[in-house]
Amino acid sequence: MLLKHKLSLRQIFYFTWKVDLMLLLCCTIVYFLDKYWLSMHISIPVAVSAVLGTAIAFFIGFNNNQAYDRWWEARIIWGGLVNDSRSWARSLLHYNTPNGNPESKAIARHMIYRHLAFIYALKSALRKRPEDDYYTRFLTREEIEEVQKQSNIPNALLNLQSLDLQALSNAGTIDGFRFIELNQLLVKHCDGMGKSERIKNTMFPPSYVYFTRLFIWFYVVMNTLMMTESIGAWAILFGWMFGFVFHVTHLNGITLMNPFEYTPLATPLDSISRTIEINIIELLGDEPVPLPVKPKADGLYIM
């Protein structure tokens, strides 16, 4: 997620240099094609540029609106997981009354740490980074072996949470009403996981992206052809400028379509997960408390 409101020219070039080069190459080819051959056969009406530009603006606007909705929904889901995680830890810590049974207190504390494993395992699954095994530090060796046998590790961890919650209920350390409240929090964790998986596994319709990109390039070609007849070689520069505006606007939407990808513009799962970890460890009064995730690229974005 970007943190700065302004980008330097160097940062803009870093994100757009491929498009810049392709646009300049395209406009240059189109200019010489029109100057030495096409202008002898046909003249491009000015109205073509206006009609195409309006149509493309609608396409890009639709794409970007839908992409931002996906990104914002992902942020809402993980914001809910932050709140539910705090409630889960606080409820287990204070609703559990051991009554001389130290084992139940140890189970409750382990369930709190296991929830951190769930958060980090879910983050790793959404980003499709199986090498990210940070979640294993919160589990026993037996639990690691058990959950890694299953295809959905976060769901396997929720199963273990349910078993231990039932064990606390059977031991009488939490009453029926508190059991219901804690179970509802487990349901919310499962809902957050399912909603995140829905966004991750549902592709944005590729036809919208493909045709919007195709229409932009068509617009660049037609606009350059039209301007060549009136301003000559300056059509290369102005063709690049018009194409740059449309392409970069479209790229902004594309980068938001998959909010769980490991990219600078995606949902900052590293930062959110670490915030949950810090809050929970401080609530438990344990040490050491990890440091927040640091921004990258001189404070430009955070993962």
Side-chain angles (χ1 to χ4, degrees):
M1 182 179 72
L2 292 180
L3 300 177
K4 293 184 177 180
H5 296 289
K6 296 181 180 180
L7 299 178
S8 65
L9 291 177
R10 180 179 63 85
Q11 291 165 342
I12 293 174
F13 182 75
Y14 175 78
F15 283 116
T16 65
W17 68 271
K18 292 181 181 179
V19 172
D20 291 334
L21 292 179
M22 292 175 65
L23 283 170
L24 288 173
L25 178 62
C26 175
C27 293
T28 302
I29 293 174
V30 170
Y31 165 74
F32 284 106
L33 180 65
D34 182 67
K35 181 178 180 180
Y36 293 105
W37 178 72
L38 193 60
S39 60
M40 305 175 186
H41 303 280
I42 190 173
S43 177
I44 307 298
V46 177
V48 172
S49 176
V51 173
L52 280 176
T54 303
I56 293 171
F58 279 111
F59 266 89
I60 295 176
F62 173 80
N63 287 346
N64 287 9
N65 284 340
Q66 298 302 312
Y68 182 78
D69 286 344
R70 286 167 63 91
W71 184 89
W72 184 241
E73 183 182 2
R75 187 60 186 88
I76 290 174
I77 291 168
W78 274 76
L81 283 173
V82 172
N83 296 336
D84 294 338
S85 299
R86 294 164 177 164
S87 298
W88 172 257
R90 185 168 51 250
S91 298
L92 274 174
L93 196 62
H94 300 300
Y95 284 1
N96 181 47
T97 54
N99 295 325
N101 183 1
E103 183 180 354
S104 64
K105 183 177 181 180
I107 292 176
R109 290 180 66 87
H110 184 62
M111 290 173 69
I112 295 174
Y113 275 107
R114 190 190 290 137
H115 178 73
L116 292 178
F118 163 77
I119 293 295
Y120 279 104
L122 179 58
K123 182 198 74 169
S124 175
L126 292 174
R127 286 182 168 172
K128 294 184 177 180
R129 294 168 63 87
E131 71 279 3
D132 183 6
D133 59 353
Y134 186 85
Y135 70 93
T136 57
R137 66 179 59 196
F138 303 109
L139 303 173
T140 64
R141 184 178 300 276
E142 293 76 14
E143 289 173 337
I144 295 173
E145 294 176 355
E146 181 176 350
V147 300
Q148 289 183 344
K149 293 177 182 178
Q150 303 189 34
S151 59
N152 192 323
I153 293 177
N155 190 58
L157 290 169
L158 289 182
N159 292 337
L160 295 178
Q161 297 285 62
S162 295
L163 291 174
D164 278 351
L165 182 60
Q166 185 61 53
L168 291 178
S169 178
N170 293 339
T173 58
I174 56 173
D175 58 30
F177 292 106
R178 292 173 177 176
F179 175 86
I180 293 174
E181 290 294 327
L182 287 166
N183 188 63
Q184 284 298 316
L185 286 173
L186 277 181
V187 172
K188 288 183 178 181
H189 299 160
C190 187
D191 287 344
M193 176 182 67
K195 291 175 182 178
S196 298
E197 291 171 343
R198 170 174 52 80
I199 295 175
K200 178 66 178 179
N201 298 327
T202 303
M203 288 186 59
F204 190 86
S207 58
Y208 285 105
V209 179
Y210 173 77
F211 283 112
T212 302
R213 186 182 292 118
L214 181 65
F215 293 160
I216 291 175
W217 281 110
F218 184 63
Y219 172 77
V220 170
V221 171
M222 298 301 293
N223 211 35
T224 305
L225 288 174
M226 179 199 69
M227 290 188 295
T228 298
E229 300 176 6
S230 57
I231 60 176
W234 284 100
I236 297 175
L237 177 61
F238 282 94
W240 166 79
M241 290 171 60
F242 287 122
F244 178 83
V245 171
F246 280 105
H247 269 297
V248 171
T249 305
H250 187 224
L251 283 173
N252 282 336
I254 291 177
T255 53
L256 297 178
M257 285 179 183
N258 299 308
F260 296 123
E261 295 290 338
Y262 193 68
T263 61
L265 295 180
T267 306
L269 299 187
D270 288 352
S271 176
I272 296 173
S273 301
R274 181 58 58 83
T275 297
I276 295 173
E277 182 182 359
I278 292 172
N279 292 164
I280 287 180
I281 291 179
E282 287 178 342
L283 180 65
L284 292 171
D286 291 344
E287 296 286 347
V289 178
L291 297 174
V293 173
K294 295 182 179 179
K296 297 184 178 181
D298 297 327
L300 176 62
Y301 65 89
I302 193 168
M303 299 300 293

